[in-house]
Amino acid sequence: MSKHISISAPTDNEAILGILNNSESMLKRIYIAYFPMVLQLVISNNGSDDDAKDIYQEAIIVLYNKVKAGNFELSSKLKTYIYSVCRRLWLKRLSQMSRYGGDIHDIQEYLPVNEDDLLSHEEKDIQFNKMEGALSVLGEPCKTIIEDFYIHNRSMQEICEKFGYTNADNAKTQKYKCLQRLKKLFFQQ
């Protein structure tokens, strides 16, 4: 008798802990468990598969930021929370595209989402765009050093070898100078 392996939906606590621990496998489980409901919501309301993926991705970022901020309290099922965030984001997108006819076809009960969650998400987006802009004008080797360390999680030793610094301390000093320049560029915008 062959065993059929399936990925079950995580419990809400497992999901929150997984997000706190940056668990890649937990994010996959959350995606598999809840994406179909978001896809159905978006497709039944003038959207496409790609729209659903975008909205779902944004909702997971909202959830991730809330959990990481340490002030996240789940007052409903996680599934309901994700659905509500996606619903709000999709309504907003529809109104921006003038495709919102005044009524959205719900596939289930939903919970109102705090407007502050979405505003803080938008604020983070603005900050992220500013940071991207600052990074793009930072120049080399600073841009690559910052990306290697903060985005690709490379060690100072790896960066030292890559750029030919005599030791990791010199690489650290360079990274510090780059950060100061990045900060200056960020605040000039």
Side-chain angles (χ1 to χ4, degrees):
M1 206 163 79
S2 67
K3 265 191 170 179
H4 177 69
I5 298 168
S6 68
I7 298 175
S8 62
T11 66
D12 291 353
N13 284 342
E14 282 175 341
I16 304 289
L17 273 173
I19 290 167
L20 276 171
N21 295 321
N22 297 322
S23 164
E24 192 99 356
S25 63
M26 184 53 68
L27 284 171
K28 276 185 189 151
R29 280 178 68 191
I30 293 168
Y31 185 87
I32 290 164
Y34 305 129
F35 180 68
M37 118 189 128
V38 176
L39 182 63
Q40 193 180 339
L41 167 74
V42 171
I43 284 185
S44 60
N45 290 282
N46 301 317
S48 67
D49 284 26
D50 285 343
D51 290 330
K53 285 176 188 157
D54 287 351
I55 291 295
Y56 190 73
Q57 194 67 44
E58 279 185 60
I60 293 302
I61 291 167
V62 169
L63 173 66
Y64 180 85
N65 288 334
K66 285 292 281 182
V67 170
K68 284 292 192 181
N71 58 356
F72 182 69
E73 279 182 40
L74 203 56
S75 56
S76 66
K77 286 190 173 300
L78 183 63
K79 179 179 182 175
T80 311
Y81 179 82
I82 290 172
Y83 180 81
S84 298
V85 172
C86 289
R87 183 183 191 279
R88 290 292 290 276
L89 290 168
W90 185 237
L91 275 171
K92 192 172 175 194
R93 176 89 57 93
L94 283 176
S95 67
Q96 285 168 347
M97 296 184 301
S98 306
R99 294 208 313 230
Y100 180 42
D103 194 21
I104 193 164
H105 305 290
D106 274 308
I107 53 172
Q108 65 183 52
E109 291 275 322
Y110 72 92
L111 197 77
V113 174
N114 187 336
E115 200 62 50
D116 292 345
D117 293 355
L118 295 178
L119 287 173
S120 96
H121 172 56
E122 283 167 7
E123 182 57 34
K124 284 190 176 90
D125 265 0
I126 291 164
Q127 298 299 334
F128 186 73
N129 288 338
K130 275 176 74 174
M131 184 56 75
E132 271 188 330
L135 257 178
S136 70
V137 293
L138 185 62
E140 294 300 348
C142 282
K143 183 178 187 284
T144 305
I145 290 172
I146 299 287
E147 286 176 346
D148 279 356
F149 188 78
Y150 291 102
I151 298 170
H152 306 297
N153 297 316
R154 296 205 170 95
S155 70
M156 286 319 296
Q157 191 53 47
E158 287 174 291
I159 292 169
C160 170
E161 288 162 15
K162 180 176 178 177
F163 288 94
Y165 292 108
T166 46
N167 58 46
D169 282 340
N170 287 354
K172 234 182 246 177
T173 303
Q174 183 60 47
K175 184 195 76 165
Y176 175 77
K177 287 178 183 171
C178 291
L179 268 178
Q180 296 308 100
R181 278 179 50 205
L182 182 64
K183 212 182 272 183
K184 195 175 170 192
L185 288 166
F186 178 82
F187 287 111
Q188 275 174 358
Q189 290 184 54

